C-alpha cells in the first residue's frame, strides 16, 4: 500500500482530532480578524472622520492583499511546504491585526490591514489542502467543512466581543485580541505535520513514518515508499486545471467562488451598517453578525452530512437560491425574530456555502493539482471580496431603500447557482477513486 492510500483508508484517530483542532483554531482567529473590521467601521468613521466610501475602500484594499496572499503563498507552498506557509501566514495576520489597533491614522491602519490580508489569503487554501491529504476519504468533505466552521466561530466571537468592548473601551482593544494565536505558534509547530505531498516529493520517508505510526503503529514498515503517483504532470499545476476535462469546471468553480465572496464580504463588512440603516440599534445590528455566523456553522454541519449521501451539487445549488430569496426578503422585514431567521438562513447560504465549496474543490481534483485548484479558486474568489466592500459603499451613497441594497447583493447568489450547474461530475476525483484500478490506470493514460 502506498502512503496516500493509507491515509485515505485510515480510521479517525487522535492524530486527526488534534490536527483538526489546531487548524480549526487558526481559522477561528482568522474569522475574528476579518470580521472585526465590519463591527468597528462606525467607530473608525467617528474617530478619524472618514466617509463610507473610504471605509469601503479600506475593506477592498485589505482583500487585495488577501488575493495577493492567496496567489503568492499558493505558488510557494509546493517549494517550502504547506506547514511552513500555514505558520507564516498565521503569524502575519495575527501580528498585523494587533498592530492595526495601535495605528495613529487611517493610512497606517490600512497598511496593517493589507499586510494582514496577505496572511488571510495564504492560510485558507493551504489548510484545506493539508487536511485533504491526511483526512480519511470517507470523512474528508465533512472534516474540511467542519474546520472551516472555525472561521464562522471566530466571526461570531467578533460580534460578541464587539458588543462587550466597543461601546465602553473603543475600537483599539478588539484588534489587540488578534495577537492571541502568536502564543500558540510553538504548539502548532509541534502538532501540525508537513504536507504529505511535500514529504513524498522530497523523499522524507522518515517523517511520513512518524505520522503513520501515530495512526497505526508499525504500519510504516508495510508501506511502499517507492510508489510514484501516476502520470506526473509535465505542465504546471495551473495549466493542468485547464486541460480538456477540467477547463469548464475550473472556470465555473472560479466564478462560483467569486460570487460567494461578494456575498460574504458584502455582509462581513457592511451588515451592521445595513441593519442600522434598516432601523435596528447597534447592539441588535452586531447580533445579526453573530446570527449570520451561527447559520453558517449549523448549515455547514447539517448540510455537509447530507452532501455525503446525495452529493455536492444537489445541496449547494438549491442553497444559492435560498440565499438569494432570503436577501430579497430581509430588507422588507420589520419583525426582529423573522429578520434573525432570514439572516440565519443567509449565513448557511453564504459563509456556510463557501465552507462546503472548499470541500467540493478539494474532493474534485486529484492530489497533484489540488493545492493549485484550491489556491487559484480562492484567489479568483478574492476579486469578489475586493469588489464587495466598495460596491456596497456605493450603494449606500445612493440613498436607496434598504431592501434594494440587499437585493443588489443577492444577485450574486443567482450567478453562483448558475455557475455550479455547469460543473461536470464525471471527471471528479471522488468518483474515480471508487472505480476499479484497471479503469483508473487506463483513464490516466488517456488523460
Amino acid at each position: 500500500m502506498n502512503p496516500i492510500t493509507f491515509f485515505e483508508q485510515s480510521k479517525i484517530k487522535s492524530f486527526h482530532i488534534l490536527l483538526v483542532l489546531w487548524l480549526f483554531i487558526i481559522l477561528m482567529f482568522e474569522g475574528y480578524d476579518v470580521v472585526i473590521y465590519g463591527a468597528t467601521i462606525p467607530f473608525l468613521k467617528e474617530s478619524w472622520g472618514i466617509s463610507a466610501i473610504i471605509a469601503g475602500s479600506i475593506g477592498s484594499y485589505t482583500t487585495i492583499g488577501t488575493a495577493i496572499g492567496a496567489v503568492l503563498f499558493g505558488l510557494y507552498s509546493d517549494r517550502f511546504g504547506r506547514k511552513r506557509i500555514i505558520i507564516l501566514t498565521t503569524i502575519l495576520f495575527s501580528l498585523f491585526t494587533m498592530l492595526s489597533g495601535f495605528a495613529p491614522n487611517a493610512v497606517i491602519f490600512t497598511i496593517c490591514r493589507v499586510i494582514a490580508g496577505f496572511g488571510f489569503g495564504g492560510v485558507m487554501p493551504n489548510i484545506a489542502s493539508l487536511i485533504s491529504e491526511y483526512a480519511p476519504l470517507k470523512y474528508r468533505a465533512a472534516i474540511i467543512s467542519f474546520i472551516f466552521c472555525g472561521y464562522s466561530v471566530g466571526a461570531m466571537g467578533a460580534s460578541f466581543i464587539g458588543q462587550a468592548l466597543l461601546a465602553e473601551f473603543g475600537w483599539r482593544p478588539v484588534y489587540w485580541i488578534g495577537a492571541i494565536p502568536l502564543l500558540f505558534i510553538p504548539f502548532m509547530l509541534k502538532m501540525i505535520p508537513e504536507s504529505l505531498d511535500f514529504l513524498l516529493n522530497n523523499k522524507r520517508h522518515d517523517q511520513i513514518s512518524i505520522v503513520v505510526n501515530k495512526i497505526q503503529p508499525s504500519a510504516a514498515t508495510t508501506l511502499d515508499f517507492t510508489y510514484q503517483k501516476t502520470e506526473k504532470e509535465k505542465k504546471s499545476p495551473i495549466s493542468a486545471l485547464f486541460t480538456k476535462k477540467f477547463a469548464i469546471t475550473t472556470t465555473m468553480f472560479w466564478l462560483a467562488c467569486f460570487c460567494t465572496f461578494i456575498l460574504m464580504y458584502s455582509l462581513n463588512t457592511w451588515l451592521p451598517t445595513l441593519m442600522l440603516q434598516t432601523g435596528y440599534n447597534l447592539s441588535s445590528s452586531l447580533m445579526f453578525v453573530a446570527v449570520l455566523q451561527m447559520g453558517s456553522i449549523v448549515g455547514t454541519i447539517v448540510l455537509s452530512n447530507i452532501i455525503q449521501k446525495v452529493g455536492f451539487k444537489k445541496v449547494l445549488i438549491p442553497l444559492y437560491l435560498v440565499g438569494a430569496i432570503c436577501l430579497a426578503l430581509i430588507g422588507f422585514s420589520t419583525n426582529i425574530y423573522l429578520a434573525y431567521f432570514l439572516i440565519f438562513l443567509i449565513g448557511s447560504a453564504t459563509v456556510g456555502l463557501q465552507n462546503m465549496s472548499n470541500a467540493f474543490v478539494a474532493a474534485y481534483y486529484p492530489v497533484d493539482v489540488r493545492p493549485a485548484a484550491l489556491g487559484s479558486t480562492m484567489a479568483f474568489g478574492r476579486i469578489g471580496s475586493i469588489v464587495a466592500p466598495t460596491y456596497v459603499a456605493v450603494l449606500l451613497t445612493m440613498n436607496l431603500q434598504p431592501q434594494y441594497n440587499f437585493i443588489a447583493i443577492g444577485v450574486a447568489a443567482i450567478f453562483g447557482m448558475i455557475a455550479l450547474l455547469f460543473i461536470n461530475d464525471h471527471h471528479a476525483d471522488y468518483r474515480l477513486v471508487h472505480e476499479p484500478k484497471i479503469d483508473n490506470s487506463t483513464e490516466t493514460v488517456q488523460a
Side-chain angles (χ1 to χ4, degrees), residues 32 36 39-44 46-47 100-101 109 158 161-177 282 286:
Y32 174 88
I36 199 62
T40 58
I41 283 178
F43 295 86
L44 294 172
E46 181 181 351
S47 178
S100 299
F109 179 86
I161 290 173
Q163 292 181 61
L165 299 182
L166 283 171
E168 186 172 353
F169 298 102
W171 60 270
R172 294 184 185 275
V174 300
Y175 285 94
W176 300 340
I177 292 171
L282 178 62
L286 290 174

Side-chain angles (χ1 to χ4, degrees), residues 9-199:
Q9 296 181 1
S10 66
K11 297 180 180 179
I12 298 289
K13 299 290 185 179
S14 59
F15 162 79
H16 298 103
I17 295 171
L18 289 172
L19 178 57
V20 166
L21 174 64
W22 283 112
L23 298 181
F24 183 96
I25 289 172
I26 292 172
L27 288 184
M28 180 177 70
F29 278 97
E30 180 184 9
Y32 174 88
D33 291 355
V34 170
V35 173
I36 199 62
Y37 175 67
T40 58
I41 283 178
F43 295 86
L44 294 172
K45 290 170 67 176
E46 181 181 351
S47 178
W48 290 325
I50 59 178
S51 66
I53 291 292
I54 292 176
S57 298
I58 292 173
S60 292
Y61 295 147
T62 301
T63 50
I64 289 173
T66 304
I68 294 172
V71 174
L72 182 66
F73 292 114
L75 291 174
Y76 282 99
S77 63
D78 286 332
R79 179 181 298 182
F80 297 108
R82 277 174 268 290
K83 174 181 177 176
R84 293 177 183 174
I85 297 298
I86 289 170
I87 299 298
L88 174 61
T89 50
T90 301
I91 292 172
L92 274 179
F93 76 71
S94 300
L95 178 61
F96 282 91
T97 294
M98 177 193 69
L99 293 177
S100 299
F102 293 100
N105 54 55
V107 174
I108 300 299
F109 179 86
T110 302
I111 292 172
C112 289
R113 291 294 291 174
V114 170
I115 298 175
F118 294 156
F120 297 149
V123 74
M124 273 192 171
N126 281 288
I127 280 180
S129 181
L130 180 72
I131 193 61
S132 70
E133 294 179 35
Y134 287 110
L137 186 61
K138 182 179 179 181
Y139 305 106
R140 181 186 291 164
I143 287 174
I144 294 173
S145 297
F146 174 77
I147 287 174
F148 274 82
C149 283
Y151 179 96
S152 301
V153 171
M156 189 165 56
S159 171
F160 291 133
I161 290 173
Q163 292 181 61
L165 299 182
L166 283 171
E168 186 172 353
F169 298 102
W171 60 270
R172 294 184 185 275
V174 300
Y175 285 94
W176 300 340
I177 292 171
I180 291 176
L182 297 176
L183 303 175
F184 298 150
I185 295 300
F187 302 100
M188 294 175 185
L189 285 168
K190 182 178 180 180
M191 301 303 300
I192 298 175
E194 184 50 87
S195 158
L196 177 62
D197 191 53
F198 178 83
L199 295 177

Side-chain angles (χ1 to χ4, degrees), residues 252 255-256 259-260 317 320 411-421:
M252 292 302 105
L255 290 175
C259 294
T260 310
I317 289 173
Y320 269 119
V411 170
I414 299 297
F415 286 104
M417 178 182 69
I418 293 170
L420 279 196
L421 286 169

Side-chain angles (χ1 to χ4, degrees), residues 289-345:
V289 176
V291 173
L292 181 81
Q293 304 304 330
M294 289 177 191
S296 72
I297 295 168
V298 174
T300 300
I301 293 172
V302 172
L303 296 177
S304 61
N305 285 306
I306 297 175
I307 283 172
Q308 297 280 55
K309 298 177 181 178
V310 303
F312 285 97
K313 292 177 67 175
K314 290 181 180 178
V315 173
L316 300 185
I317 289 173
L319 196 54
Y320 269 119
L321 182 60
V322 169
I325 293 171
C326 290
L327 281 164
L329 294 176
I330 187 66
F332 293 96
S333 173
T334 57
N335 183 294
I336 191 169
Y337 297 106
L338 177 59
Y340 281 147
F341 177 69
L342 292 172
I343 289 291
F344 183 90
L345 293 179

